């Protein structure tokens, strides 16, 4: 097939390909230049102009992609489709839809406005899928269309057409009535569904009955045709059969499609038929065999197909034994003479394939067939299927049905989490790397639904493992290439002419100890080894990096040999197919135990001879590691068989960046979760799996919904309260009058409504329910007098000052209630403020509950955490876990050790307060000596004093003077900033103040009581663990930390009630799931009460490098996006307060309901123009610079020198006008361009105080969630839009700026791309040349709407000359003392996961060009 070749990046199109592209472009200009609702299609254009040309190329993907880009579907095929359209017309629509799906473009939107015509089209495609006269290539493309349809069941238009094809009516095709009746007996509701289906058929007219007969026969016919194809060995037929197995796996992997289809698959004995087919027996058909294994996994998955309940291991075991018992009973009854031994054997002796086959061999062919019939297996097929019911078939049917199968838990246990060279170069893994969309892959998909939580964890484990091994192989191959191995000659072994700071040549590792295997295991408990590292030739910076190796870090031991055909440097991408070709002979992993210097001292602390960090340069290091015991056992067995010892050949040690090297712990976490059968909370289970009512997990549907909620400081005043509920009636409770201030306690009540008068009907459909009168829901409001905590300023609570919008209030109310809350936060709409207020409400309303804060990045987590620290939340209840805690901009440490130290520091302060109280009473003794003595002092002195005071104060005859005089703590509170009791205060006020004083003193002793365990515990680990599981109520960590430390955290007995997740749309599903399972179940399920997800699925998704996992497996789908697709109710915030209104319009097309907050309409900075610029935003066309546009030094590493120079020139211009460097960020869409811009900045600006460096230079993906006043954006590409066709990333790029956005790019490329038309509609209306205004400095007083004359910059040379002249003038002014140098400003911010490029490592970044956009590089 023409489309199966690898369309690699950097491969220029051939001359004939350019001619073909020119043909398509001319055709588009002539026949579909503009969109149209209806179109008269010419059949000769369809047949000769398009179809025949595509057929000549064997329907190459390149041409189909170009036709999609030319909007063939939207402008010609669909507007011109009718029921009379030709088959070629229909097939072309199906092909273009398939291309759209592969490119992650909106697939079904074009059909949304005409469901009738779409139904007709879909029926035509179904009919063509059964047309055996079509070539296998065409049938494969049609099948791809159907796969996309069944993967899009969240779309109502598609679901309506697909659902009847997999309904219970397909059971008409079962082998016999008895087969159907057996299933009805097992589940009574199936019988009712069958009767309902039969009634619908009988009540339908003749035309509808014909349609229903087609629907129930379609899949059965398609399956029989597939069986017949299993005998044809042509390459095109193999590809079709592979795609068909993908289709069947998709049907079996989702309960709505599996429920009835799986029964039909089992009835047809499809697994047995595939296994004995000629295609399966060909060993070279590895992909087909792997796809069969995946299909078999889903068919046999231990789940009740009707109820969706997963069988436990015990239940699966019992069901298997029931099948064996049935076989034994049947054998004894009908074949007693030949099968007596089988009938009397124990189950373990007959559930192995070889053993069972030995028993059944005694039967003749006729007896085997009779046995199958007695066991109700199908033995008759239509002749068209070509099934030969012979001995091989009958034996396989019996063996497949009764052999012991591995559970998904067993399959996970069999997969190692640390690779060897065999794992990295496994053919199935290499297929994933070379995926280009033309073939299926034998990997599970992440889609809408899962069969069970165990199924989800199994899929996640497989995909995460494959992705990590792919990244690891690419990394290690790059290391090998950089080391440049060669034969040393004269027996000196392998020498290395190159260098990598991440690798060191070593001599073979020494094995110190191989511990005996533990009980029940066959591998050593551990294998201790020593590796000597020679630091003689290393620079100090590199040596320091190696010295940072710590316990449990994973390192890689490589055996490298020279390879004559080793690939050249390609940024980690290789076309090699095996380890030997790349020079990697062997790979073993190990975990660090300890790093020692040459004297045997641990490297954790500086050597004693160092002064201020300087000392004798180290020469050697001894690294103690634990080798992978499973690999060591296999190597030992191999050595015993006479093969070479792998460890004798190891000659290089490799390390990885910590962020990239956490794969082992994450895999072990997923593995342990899958093996533990962790149960989801009952209220969340169905929604998580994708079944049932999407709204069932939201608080209005839950039985534990709170009747009344204390919103504390959420509302600013009464007016704010009323404005927050525009569709509800706010009613004061009791006799209170309107207008009282906060705090407010709200209770929602819905009055009963009566149906409108309507003619009665005895029978009515659900859709015809009686209309209800529109009754406004009322909200009852009450208040209370908030207590005070004492007379000191520190006792005054911190209050919220954000005037939340109605939708923000709705989100806060939902998040405070139990259940699932999904908050969609467009750019600048304050979702972090909403999350913060939810946390505040939960903290105060539910003192016994604990909340877990999760974010993908340390930056986002710290932003949220810092806002929480500004709330009325006791700092001792806050805890920040993970490495990012050090980046918090606070004077205190919120790490575990920092919190313990804070507790002990607070202890000293509180005990000093106890001494002051003792002085108040004149009580002798060391009462402030410890927490214990303080507690004794409280019980003996303080509590009795309060009791005596309140007895007197509560007496009716007590007056203000009496109460004031009897107050026992005057001496203690004498340092209050004002008199405790005002002179003219009434009695109620005096008592209120006294209550506050009591709370202040009481808090001293309650705090000391909480601190007492830290006084008793002596071990630091015990103290930090106690803090985490007992004291902390708000715990923050990243998803990575949660995944790596899950077992450790769970083993401590850690528990929590609520999870609030920021950046939820940027996190993969498994990263979403693990934080929900950081505790052990209680009463059979996880004890979660609330899950709040904050994110924006319309911005960037999780970053997945490999195209196979991103596109085929859909690994980039987050739980947030899946819940949105499933229809879970979301709360979309609708007021932005970040950007100028005119700049918010740039992305308003993505958020039609987005409005502006008052601050962006009234504050001066939003009203004033940008000094020196005619426009606040502009798309500047950057032509070729020095005759070149984009360049590609290495694969996927795009740069554009013209745009880099232009971006730096704009930055220099802004700095000369007085713009602060910290207010300017430079963004780009590719890592290569980021590096180039930094180089230009370093050359032109870094050492010049006039300019300095901007706040940050980074990529768009790395900047999501951030903002700055002024953004300079370089789009880089000049041949095609590249990955910006994914409008989610473009939305991020356009929404980072508050006051000014200047886009640099090739306008002709981006304005011709349909997906980007709306995004660039406004910028493209402005001049293509940068327009400057002269005579202004920052900040200008010119208003944004003031008309001024501007000067156009013809190009980068013109702007550069202008900046040069301005710089000269500025320097002259400095010499004359007329101005001063600007202050030293911010430096470039460097992302924490970046590596030093000077060290020679090729950086792999999310913004490198994804493979699916490589095709567009040839289309321009």
């Amino acid at each position: 097939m023409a489309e199966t070749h690898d369309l690699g990046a950097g491969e220029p199109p051939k001359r004939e390909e350019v001619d073909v592209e020119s043909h398509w472009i001319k055709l588009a200009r002539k026949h579909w230049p503009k969109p149209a609702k209806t179109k008269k299609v010419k059949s000769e254009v369809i047949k000769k102009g398009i179809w025949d040309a595509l057929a000549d190329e064997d329907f190459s993907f390149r041409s189909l992609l170009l036709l999609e880009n030319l909007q063939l579907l939207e402008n010609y095929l669909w507007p011109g489709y009718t029921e009379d359209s030709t088959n070629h017309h229909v097939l072309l629509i199906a092909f273009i839809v398939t291309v759209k799906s592969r490119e992650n473009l909106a697939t079904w939107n074009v059909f949304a406005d005409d469901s009738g015509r779409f139904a007709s089209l879909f029926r035509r495609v179904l009919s063509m899928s059964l047309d055996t006269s079509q070539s296998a290539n065409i049938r494969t493309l049609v099948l791809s269309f159907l796969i996309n349809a069944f993967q899009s069941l969240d779309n109502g238009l598609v679901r309506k057409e697909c659902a009847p094809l997999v309904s219970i009516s397909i059971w008409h095709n079962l082998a016999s009535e008895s087969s159907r009746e057996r299933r009805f007996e097992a589940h009574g509701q199936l019988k009712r569904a069958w009767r309902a289906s039969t009634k619908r058929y009988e009540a339908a007219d003749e035309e509808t009955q014909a349609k229903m007969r087609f629907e129930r026969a379609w899949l059965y016919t398609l399956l029989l045709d597939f069986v017949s194809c299993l005998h044809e060995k042509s390459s095109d037929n193999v590809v079709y059969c592979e795609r068909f197995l993908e289709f069947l796996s998709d049907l079996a992997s989702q309960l709505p499609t599996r429920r009835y289809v799986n029964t039909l698959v089992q009835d047809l004995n499809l697994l047995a038929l595939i296994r004995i087919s000629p295609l399966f027996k060909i060993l070279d058909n590895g992909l087909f065999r792997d796809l069969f294994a995946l299909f078999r996994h889903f068919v046999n998955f231990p789940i009740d197909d009707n109820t969706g309940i997963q069988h436990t291991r015990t239940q699966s075991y019992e069901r298997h034994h029931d099948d064996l018992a049935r076989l034994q009973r049947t054998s004894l009854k009908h074949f007693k003479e030949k099968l007596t031994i089988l009938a009397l054997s124990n189950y373990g002796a007959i559930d192995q394939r070889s053993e069972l086959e030995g028993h059944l061999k005694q039967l003749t062919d006729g007896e085997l067939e009779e046995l199958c019939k007695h066991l109700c297996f199908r033995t008759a097929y239509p002749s068209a299927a070509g099934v030969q019911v012979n001995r091989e078939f009958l034996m396989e049917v019996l063996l497949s049905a009764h052999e012991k199968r591995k559970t998904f838990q067993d399959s996970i246990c069999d997969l190692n989490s640390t690779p060897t060279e065999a794992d990295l170069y496994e053919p199935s893994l290499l297929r994933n790397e070379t995926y280009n969309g033309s073939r299926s892959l034998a990997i599970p998909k992440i889609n809408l639904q899962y069969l069970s939580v165990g199924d989800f964890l199994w899929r996640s484990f497989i995909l995460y493992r494959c992705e990590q091994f792919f990244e690891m192989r690419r990394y290690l191959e790059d290391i090998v290439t950089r080391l440049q191995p060669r034969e040393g000659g004269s027996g000196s072994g392998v020498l290395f002419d190159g260098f990598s700071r991440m690798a060191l040549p070593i001599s073979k590792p020494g094995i110190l100890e191989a511990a005996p295997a533990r009980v029940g295991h066959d591998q050593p408990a551990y294998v201790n080894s020593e590796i000597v590292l020679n630091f003689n030739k290393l620079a100090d910076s590199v040596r320091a990096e190696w010295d940072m190796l710590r316990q449990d870090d994973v390192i890689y031991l490589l055996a490298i040999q020279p390879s004559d055909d080793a690939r050249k440097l390609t940024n980690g991408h290789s076309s090699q197919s095996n380890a030997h070709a790349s020079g990697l002979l062997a790979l073993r992993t190990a975990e660090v135990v300890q790093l020692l210097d040459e004297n045997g001292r641990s490297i954790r602390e500086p050597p004693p001879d160092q002064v201020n960090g300087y000392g004798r340069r180290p020469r050697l290091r001894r690294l103690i590691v634990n080798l992978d015991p499973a690999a060591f056992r296999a190597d030992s067995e191999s050595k015993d068989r006479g093969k070479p010892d792998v460890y004798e050949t190891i000659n290089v040690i490799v390390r990885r960046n910590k962020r990239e090297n956490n794969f082992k712990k994450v895999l072990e976490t997923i593995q342990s979760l899958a093996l533990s059968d962790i149960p989801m909370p009952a209220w969340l289970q169905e929604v998580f799996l994708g079944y049932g009512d999407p709204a069932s997990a939201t608080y209005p549907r839950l039985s534990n919904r709170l009747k009344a909620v204390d919103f504390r400081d959420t509302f600013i005043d009464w007016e704010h309260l009323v404005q927050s509920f525009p569709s509800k009636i706010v009613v004061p409770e009791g006799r209170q009058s309107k207008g009282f201030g906060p705090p407010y306690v709200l209770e929602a009540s819905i009055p009963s409504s009566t149906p409108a008068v309507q003619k009665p009907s005895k029978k009515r459909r659900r859709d015809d329910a009686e209309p209800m009168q529109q009754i406004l829901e009322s909200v009852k409001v009450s208040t209370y007098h908030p207590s005070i905590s004492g007379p000191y300023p520190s006792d005054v609570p911190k209050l919220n000052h954000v005037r939340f919008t109605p939708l923000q209030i709705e989100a806060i109310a939902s998040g405070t209630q139990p259940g699932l809350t999904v908050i969609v936060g467009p750019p600048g709409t304050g979702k972090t403020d909403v999350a913060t207020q939810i946390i505040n409400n939960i903290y105060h309303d539910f003192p016994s509950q604990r909340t877990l804060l999760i974010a993908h990045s340390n930056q986002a987590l710290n932003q949220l955490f810092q806002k929480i620290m500004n709330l009325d939340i006791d700092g001792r209840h806050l805890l920040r876990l993970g490495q990012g805690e050090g980046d918090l901009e606070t004077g205190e440490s919120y790490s575990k050790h920092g919190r313990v130290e804070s507790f002990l520091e607070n202890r000293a302060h509180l005990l000093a307060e106890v001494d002051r109280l003792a002085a108040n009473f004149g009580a002798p003794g060391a009462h402030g000596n410890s927490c214990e003595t303080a507690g004794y002092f409280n019980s003996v002195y303080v509590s009795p004093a309060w009791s005596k005071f309140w007895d007197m104060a509560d007496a009716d005859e007590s007056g203000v003077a009496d109460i004031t005089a009897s107050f026992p703590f005057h001496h203690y509170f004498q340092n209050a900033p004002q008199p405790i009791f005002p002179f003219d205060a009434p009695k109620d006020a005096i008592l209120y103040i006294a209550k506050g004083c009591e709370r202040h003193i009481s808090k001293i002793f309650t705090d000391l009581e909480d601190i007492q365990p830290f006084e008793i515990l002596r071990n630091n680990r015990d103290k930090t663990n106690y803090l985490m599981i007992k004291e902390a109520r708000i715990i923050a960590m990243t998803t990575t930390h949660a995944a790596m430390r899950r077992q450790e955290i769970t083993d401590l007995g850690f528990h929590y009630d609520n999870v609030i997740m920021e950046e939820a749309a940027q996190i993969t599903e498994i990263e979403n799931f693990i934080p929900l399972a950081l505790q052990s179940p209680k009463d059979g399920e996880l004890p979660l009460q609330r899950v709040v997800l904050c994110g924006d699925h319309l911005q960037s998704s999780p970053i997945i490098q490999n195209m196979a996992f991103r596109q085929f497996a859909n690994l980039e789908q987050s739980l947030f996006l899946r819940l949105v697709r499933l229809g879970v109710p979301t709360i979309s915030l609708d007021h932005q307060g970040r950007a100028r209104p005119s700049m918010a319009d740039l992305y308003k097309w993505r958020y039609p309901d987005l409005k502006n907050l008052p601050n962006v309409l009234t504050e001066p900075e939003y009203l004033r123009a940008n000094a020196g610029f005619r426009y606040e935003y502009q798309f500047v066309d950057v032509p070729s610079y020095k005759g070149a546009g984009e360049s590609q030094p290495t694969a996927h590493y795009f740069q554009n020198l013209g745009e880099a120079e232009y971006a730096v020139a704009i930055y220099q211009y802004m700095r000369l006008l007085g713009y602060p460097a910290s207010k300017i960020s430079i963004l780009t869409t590719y890592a290569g361009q980021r590096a180039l811009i930094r180089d230009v900045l370093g050359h032109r600006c870094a050492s010049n105080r006039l300019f300095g460096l901007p706040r940050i230079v980074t990529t768009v993906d790395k900047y999501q969630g951030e903002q700055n006043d002024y953004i300079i954006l370089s789009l880089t590409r000049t041949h095609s839009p590249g990955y910006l066709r994914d409008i989610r990333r473009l939305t991020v790029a356009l929404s980072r700026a508050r006051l000014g956005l200047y886009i640099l790019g090739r306008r002709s490329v981006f304005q011709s791309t349909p997906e980007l038309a709306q995004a660039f509609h406004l910028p493209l209306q402005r001049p293509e040349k940068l327009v400057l205004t002269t005579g202004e400095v920052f900040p200008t007083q010119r208003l944004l709407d003031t008309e001024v004359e501007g000067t156009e910059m013809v190009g980068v040379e013109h702007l550069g000359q202008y900046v040069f002249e301005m710089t000269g003038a500025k320097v002259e002014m400095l010499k004359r003392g007329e101005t001063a140098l600007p202050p030293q400003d911010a430096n470039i911010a460097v992302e924490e996961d970046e590596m030093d490029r000077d060290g020679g490592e090729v950086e792999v970044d999310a913004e490198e060009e994804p493979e699916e956009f490589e095709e567009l590089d040839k289309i321009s």
Side-chain angles (χ1 to χ4, degrees), residues 102-307:
R102 177 186 154 175
E103 293 298 296
N104 284 333
L105 302 174
T107 306
W108 309 105
N109 292 353
V110 65
F111 308 111
D113 295 335
D114 199 334
S115 58
R117 279 200 306 147
F118 179 75
S120 166
L121 170 73
F122 201 87
R123 181 59 50 83
R124 294 280 298 275
V125 175
L126 291 177
S127 299
M128 291 180 193
S129 68
L130 303 177
D131 185 359
T132 56
S133 65
Q134 299 284 0
S135 68
N137 192 6
I138 292 175
R139 296 191 72 193
T140 301
L141 289 170
V142 172
L143 192 57
S144 297
F145 172 89
L146 296 173
I147 289 172
N148 296 330
F150 277 95
Q151 290 282 293
S152 305
L153 297 180
D154 54 316
N155 185 293
L157 191 71
V158 178
R159 185 170 61 249
K160 181 180 177 183
E161 303 304 322
C162 292
L165 304 175
V166 291
S167 68
I168 197 171
S169 62
I170 65 174
W171 282 8
H172 279 280
N173 304 291
L174 296 183
S176 63
E177 288 284 341
S178 59
S179 298
R180 204 160 43 237
E181 289 300 326
R182 280 200 314 276
R183 287 164 176 82
F184 292 160
E185 291 173 5
H187 297 287
Q189 62 269 41
L190 292 177
K191 183 69 171 178
R192 294 191 292 272
W194 177 260
R195 289 172 179 169
S197 173
T198 303
K199 287 181 179 178
R200 281 196 301 272
Y201 177 79
E202 293 171 350
D205 56 34
E206 187 174 343
E207 182 181 353
T208 306
Q209 285 184 343
K211 177 174 176 287
M212 295 173 75
R213 285 195 298 272
F214 173 82
E215 289 170 345
R216 70 192 188 194
W218 174 78
L219 182 60
Y220 176 70
T221 307
L222 199 64
L223 287 170
L224 292 178
D225 173 69
F226 166 68
V227 171
S228 68
C229 291
L230 293 173
H231 302 279
E232 186 181 341
K233 301 179 182 179
S234 67
S235 59
D236 283 354
N237 183 68
V238 171
V239 173
Y240 172 78
C241 291
E242 289 168 352
R243 191 68 78 178
F244 198 91
L245 281 178
E246 177 194 342
F247 173 62
L248 291 178
S249 296
D250 288 349
L251 294 182
S253 64
Q254 296 187 102
L255 192 59
T257 52
R258 170 195 181 91
R259 180 169 283 121
Y260 305 116
V261 169
N262 207 41
T263 298
L264 180 61
V265 165
Q266 292 172 342
D267 178 78
L268 286 170
N269 302 313
L270 196 58
L271 292 177
L273 288 170
I274 296 172
R275 189 176 178 114
I276 65 172
S277 68
L279 284 188
F280 185 85
K281 292 177 180 177
I282 300 174
L283 297 181
D284 288 342
N285 290 338
L287 176 57
F288 179 80
R289 295 166 68 93
D290 289 345
L291 283 164
F292 167 73
L294 181 65
F295 174 50
R296 180 178 58 189
H297 164 84
F298 282 120
V299 169
N300 294 329
F301 193 85
I303 191 174
D304 188 306
D305 291 340
N306 185 55
T307 63

